[in-house]
Structure formats: C-alpha cells, structure tokens
Amino acid sequence: MQPVLFSFLGIDVQAYGVSKALAALVGAFVLGSMFERRGLPKESAHTLVLWATVWGFVGAKIYYLAEQLPNLTMHDLGGMGFTWFGGLIGGIAAALVVIRRHKLPLGTVAGLATVPLSLAYAIGRLGCLWAGDGTYGRPSDLPWAMSFPRGAVPTDVPVHPTPLYEAIAAMVIAVILWRLGRRIPLAVVFGAYLVLSGVSRFLVETLRINEPVLGPLTQPQLWSVLSVVVGTVIMARAGASARSTAVAATVDEPAPAPVG
C-alpha cells in the first residue's frame, strides 16, 4: 500500500486524491456518453459531475468532522477523512441545482447517473484500499485478508479488505443497473440503485469496527436502511406511474378502421 505516490515541488500526491480525481473523470465520461445517447447535452453532464464532485467532497468532509466531535484534532482537517453519506447528500444537492438550471428531466438524469456513480464509487474505494486509509474491517484469518503496515492508518494484523469488497459490489451493481436501464423506466433504476447500494453498505458494515449507535446498528447502517426505504418508495411510485401512463396510452389509441 502506498498513501503517497510521489512528491512534486514539495507537494505530496496522494493515492487517495488521485483515485477520487480518476473517479470523477470516469464518471464524467460515462455520463456524457449516456447523455448523448438520450439526446441530452454532454456539457450538462460534465457540469453536473463537476459540481456534484466538489460539493460531494465538501459534504463528505463536513459530515466526517461532525462525526469526530467533540474529539476533533488538526489531523482530522487533513486530506484524509471523508464520509460517503455526507458526500452523497452534498452531491445530490449540487446535482439538483444543476438539473434545475439546465432544465434537465429529473427522473431521466437520476437514472442515467446511477451507472457512472457506481463505477466512480468502485474506483474511489480502490483508492481507499491503495492508501490504506483505515476503512478496512475486523481482523480475519481468511486467505484474502490483508495487512496495511505502510497504510495511512497502519496495521500489521490481517483484516477484511472491506474497500475491496465494496469496489467489487459497486461494479456488480453498475452492471445490474446498466441492464435494468434498457428495460425499465430510469426513475425506477434510480430507486434500485438506492436499494442495492444501501444493502451493500449495510452488509459490509457488519465487518467493520464502527460503534453501534442504535441497538446493534451503526450510523452507516442506519443511513443504509434509509437508503433502502427511500429507494423502495421511489421504485413503487415510479413503477405505478409508468403503468398508469401505459394504460392511458392504450385507452387513447384509436380503434382500427373496419375492413370492407
């Protein structure tokens, strides 16, 4: 593991930051291509990814710092330490502003964003693994358990490489959503993303060392439950709306002209 890739003019270039930049570039490219296929402006996709990334980092950092209270230190203000759900909140808020200003269809954009978002998350989690940022799990004696003696948060004890688990899960989710997007309404796809990513994070969290905050559940698990609930509601409502539209279109079809 290598938290710092190299130094340039006295500035450390960190694996964590490089992975996040690569994730944003891949997300922008994939979303731009998907926008073009739907007849939407590619530039709007790039603007959306840019501002969602910026405010996603802001939200992730603020959420992380809030988690550290009242034991906040100067170390927490450094280049490490971001919380996924804080980033999701900040990114969604920025995306909604861009969607409104560019007059984009909300349901379509939300559905299209799921695949690049999943791919970007996978890349970001591989960066966490590469940097050894401390988001790994409990000690394990499984054959694929890993130690991080040179990580940003070092450990010589073999542990569950949970960032790798999440990266694999995110790539599988991206494939599932891509296939679903060819068959079902994109608003339903967005709901499916919330459900699948919530389930994935909930399960991975069982291997981590975070403290429970409500019964046996940790804070990320509570967010995961909320994600699943909201995603289920969106899927149900969007699916019902699509069926109603299909029925209305069938009723409005003109009767075939009589023969003869």
Side-chain angles (χ1 to χ4, degrees):
M1 300 303 130
Q2 190 174 353
V4 178
L5 297 179
F6 57 89
S7 296
F8 180 72
L9 298 178
I11 299 174
D12 291 338
V13 177
Q14 299 181 347
Y16 186 89
V18 169
S19 71
K20 298 305 181 282
L22 179 60
L25 290 173
V26 170
F29 174 78
V30 175
L31 186 60
S33 299
M34 298 177 82
F35 264 43
E36 279 192 316
R37 286 198 292 271
R38 292 276 177 165
L40 299 172
K42 188 197 314 189
E43 295 75 16
S44 294
H46 295 165
T47 300
L48 191 152
V49 172
L50 171 64
W51 288 110
T53 300
V54 170
W55 285 103
F57 270 109
V58 172
K61 192 64 177 181
I62 291 174
Y63 196 103
Y64 171 80
L65 294 176
E67 286 182 315
Q68 308 313 307
L69 295 174
N71 302 314
L72 193 64
T73 67
M74 290 301 296
H75 174 75
D76 296 318
L77 299 175
M80 307 288 282
F82 296 87
T83 302
W84 161 247
F85 288 105
L88 183 63
I89 293 170
I92 287 177
L96 289 174
V97 172
V98 173
I99 288 170
R100 181 178 178 84
R101 289 184 175 177
H102 288 235
K103 297 181 171 59
L104 300 170
L106 176 59
T108 299
V109 172
L112 291 177
T114 58
V115 171
L117 187 58
S118 296
L119 292 175
Y121 186 66
I123 295 171
R125 277 310 185 193
L126 290 176
C128 292
L129 182 74
W130 194 0
D133 68 350
T135 57
Y136 30 77
R138 303 176 187 275
S140 171
D141 57 0
L142 291 171
W144 56 83
M146 301 173 65
S147 59
F148 298 83
R150 294 193 300 157
V153 182
T155 176
D156 292 319
V157 178
V159 294
H160 282 284
T162 47
L164 179 60
Y165 298 167
E166 286 191 275
I168 294 172
M171 287 186 280
V172 171
I173 290 172
V175 173
I176 293 173
L177 296 175
W178 176 72
R179 293 178 67 87
L180 286 177
R182 301 163 64 184
R183 300 185 178 120
I184 63 176
L186 287 171
V188 180
V189 174
F190 179 69
Y193 164 76
L194 292 178
V195 171
L196 292 173
S197 59
V199 169
S200 169
R201 182 59 191 268
F202 187 97
L203 294 177
V204 168
E205 188 66 16
T206 63
L207 302 175
R208 287 212 172 115
I209 318 173
N210 293 326
E211 292 293 327
V213 295
L214 182 63
L217 301 180
T218 65
Q219 189 178 87
Q221 285 179 318
L222 293 177
W223 280 109
S224 298
V225 170
L226 178 62
S227 178
V228 171
V229 171
V230 172
T232 301
V233 171
I234 290 175
M235 290 176 67
R237 295 188 62 178
S241 177
R243 287 192 294 272
S244 298
T245 302
V247 170
T250 302
V251 171
D252 291 341
E253 284 182 1
V259 178

